[in-house]
Amino acid sequence: MMKNIYWIPLIVFLFLALSAFFAVAQPLRQITDANLRIVNIPKKIDRIICSGPGCLRLITYFGAQNLVVAVDDMETKKRKFDARPYFLANPQFKKLPVFGGFRGYDDPEKILGLKILPQVIFKTYATMGYNPVELEKKTEIPVVILEYGDLSKNRKKLFNSLDIIGQVLQKESRAKELVQFFNQHIHELDNRTKDVDDKKTCFVGGIAFKGPHGFQSTEPSYPPFRFVNAKNIASTNDMTGKNFHHSNFSKEKILQANPDILFLDLSTLQMGEGHGGLHELKNDPVYKGLTAVETNKVYGVLPYNWYTRNFGSVLADAWYIGQILYPDRFNDINPEKKANDIYEFLVSKPVFNSMNSLFRGMVFQQIDFN
């Protein structure tokens, strides 16, 4: 019996050695990431992490949240407001171990210290935070760079990244479904509105950009306006034709243009009582003089940015904005139901009511200043 005991350490050693051998020797395949880097990845992927703004959102669109073994600290922070549908649909994210800071500030030591090591690291916004090439060298884990893109002029970048994710996770059919889904919505919105002649002028304020802002904060190329061919006063100046993602539009220009309809991005509520776009519209003499404020033609919309662009909310906002600007062309649409349909397709849960409750029930509602 004692002789058999002496064999135990040798058996354990051989088992570990063989496990390490097979882990290293597992078959690999090559993919090309968004930076045109050739990346060697395991043939089968079942453990990943997502670094950078919006990265986990894209993975959730693939229904691959069960593959995520750790998160950045953005997912574990407690906050009063949260407008990320992918997170609301997946509360388990906040219980996962943390591998680094938000906005791509990864910690190689924390990654290597995870109980379950990822086989692949997806990374958006490659120039932000920890350098992806260095991260790959330090961890010896393949890093796949993605370009986040948008649903406007950089749509091809987004679709290319969806294609890359589909290749890595071997979910190519889902990547095609996602591209088709976005294109179909945008195409239908355009079809309903492209021949409108007498367009009302509009403006959206309070858009977040690396944090909450007041009413002057806007997007000159705001996609929901583009999708419904709206007459956005912020895109009629010398920025027309350029790809500006964020701008502080002067109060004087807003007053001068005096748009027919105003939309308030409700991310501005994060600034608290006595601050932000809602407070300014109620109390600032310049804004109070706007016809849209005087006639209660101000409407709340879902946050456009929240840890970068919320693509599902962008589509949902477009359907609602279309209904406000052209009610006769969208009289068959229930904006709340449309939003839930979009969220169910993208994040597998109808989370509109959860978000609306966080934002005082003001989403897709007329704001009464009286």
Side-chain angles (χ1 to χ4, degrees):
M1 186 70 179
M2 291 295 293
K3 291 181 179 179
N4 291 338
I5 293 175
Y6 292 122
W7 284 96
I8 293 175
L10 179 59
I11 293 170
V12 171
F13 172 78
L14 289 173
F15 174 78
L16 292 174
L18 285 170
S19 298
F21 170 78
F22 285 116
V24 172
Q26 65 178 310
L28 298 175
R29 55 195 169 98
Q30 291 186 333
I31 61 102
T32 303
D33 72 8
N35 272 23
L36 302 181
R37 298 164 58 246
I38 303 298
V39 185
N40 293 307
I41 62 173
K43 188 172 182 179
K44 187 177 186 305
I45 304 295
D46 51 25
R47 304 185 308 277
I48 63 174
I49 59 175
C50 305
S51 167
C55 190
L56 194 53
R57 177 182 289 113
L58 298 183
I59 294 302
T60 304
Y61 289 175
F62 280 82
Q65 51 267 46
N66 61 308
L67 306 183
V68 178
V69 299
V71 294
D72 69 29
D73 63 8
M74 175 71 172
E75 308 302 327
T76 59
K77 293 178 179 178
K78 293 182 179 180
R79 51 178 60 81
K80 181 179 179 181
F81 298 100
D82 203 314
R84 294 171 298 148
Y86 78 87
F87 176 78
L88 295 174
N90 292 281
Q92 74 275 12
F93 286 154
K94 60 186 173 186
K95 296 180 181 179
L96 291 175
V98 173
F99 67 79
F102 78 125
R103 294 180 183 164
Y105 286 89
D106 314 306
D107 187 329
E109 291 185 5
K110 284 185 178 179
I111 292 173
L112 292 174
L114 293 170
K115 288 184 178 179
I116 303 175
L117 282 178
Q119 297 162 289
V120 167
I121 301 171
F122 287 103
K123 190 171 180 67
T124 56
Y125 296 91
T127 59
M128 182 185 295
Y130 206 99
N131 181 281
V133 176
E134 287 300 313
L135 182 64
E136 189 170 87
K137 289 179 180 177
K138 283 280 183 72
T139 62
E140 296 185 348
I141 298 171
V143 176
V144 176
I145 296 172
L146 305 171
E147 284 187 297
Y148 196 73
D150 55 44
L151 288 176
S152 186
K153 293 185 177 181
N154 293 307
R155 202 181 308 168
K156 286 184 178 179
K157 292 181 179 180
L158 168 62
F159 289 173
N160 182 53
S161 289
L162 294 176
D163 182 59
I164 292 168
I165 296 171
Q167 291 177 50
V168 173
L169 301 182
Q170 295 178 305
K171 290 177 175 281
E172 291 90 347
S173 61
R174 177 59 176 175
K176 291 178 181 178
E177 288 175 357
L178 287 165
V179 170
Q180 185 179 29
F181 177 80
F182 287 122
N183 279 334
Q184 281 182 339
H185 275 269
I186 294 167
H187 180 68
E188 186 178 350
L189 288 161
D190 179 61
N191 273 348
R192 288 179 181 239
T193 59
K194 62 185 177 182
D195 61 345
V196 175
D197 293 323
D198 186 20
K199 296 178 181 178
K200 296 175 182 177
T201 56
C202 55
F203 177 82
V204 59
I207 289 178
F209 184 75
K210 296 183 178 179
H213 290 268
F215 191 68
Q216 288 177 246
S217 178
T218 192
E219 295 270 331
S221 57
Y222 186 58
F225 284 167
R226 286 178 172 265
F227 298 160
V228 298
N229 299 287
K231 197 172 180 180
N232 179 11
I233 65 164
S235 66
T236 57
N237 60 2
D238 59 3
M239 292 184 289
T240 301
K242 297 180 182 178
N243 195 25
F244 285 87
H245 283 303
H246 181 257
S247 171
N248 279 317
F249 203 72
S250 75
K251 287 193 290 185
E252 291 73 19
K253 287 184 178 179
I254 298 173
L255 182 63
Q256 182 181 7
N258 197 18
D260 298 311
I261 294 178
L262 297 174
F263 294 95
L264 179 66
D265 186 302
L266 294 172
S267 64
T268 192
L269 296 182
Q270 295 176 85
M271 298 183 75
E273 295 296 331
H275 303 280
L278 181 61
H279 173 80
E280 291 166 358
L281 288 172
K282 287 182 176 179
N283 298 282
D284 191 303
V286 173
Y287 294 137
K288 287 174 70 176
L290 294 171
T291 302
V293 175
E294 291 176 343
T295 58
N296 291 328
K297 295 291 178 67
V298 183
Y299 304 88
V301 291
L302 291 160
Y304 172 69
N305 278 326
W306 206 293
Y307 209 26
T308 200
R309 290 171 285 283
N310 279 310
F311 296 128
S313 297
V314 168
L315 291 182
D317 281 343
W319 284 102
Y320 176 66
I321 288 169
Q323 188 176 72
I324 296 301
L325 296 178
Y326 324 106
D328 59 320
R329 301 194 176 214
F330 289 82
N331 55 16
D332 60 324
I333 298 300
N334 179 320
E336 292 85 357
K337 182 181 183 304
K338 181 65 76 172
N340 272 331
D341 289 345
I342 291 167
Y343 293 139
E344 280 197 277
F345 181 82
L346 292 176
V347 300
S348 303
K349 287 186 181 178
V351 295
F352 174 81
N353 289 339
S354 297
M355 280 199 293
N356 192 25
S357 64
L358 292 172
F359 291 94
R360 306 181 194 172
M362 296 171 64
V363 181
F364 299 166
Q365 296 296 317
Q366 185 177 31
I367 299 171
D368 189 348
F369 292 100
N370 296 322

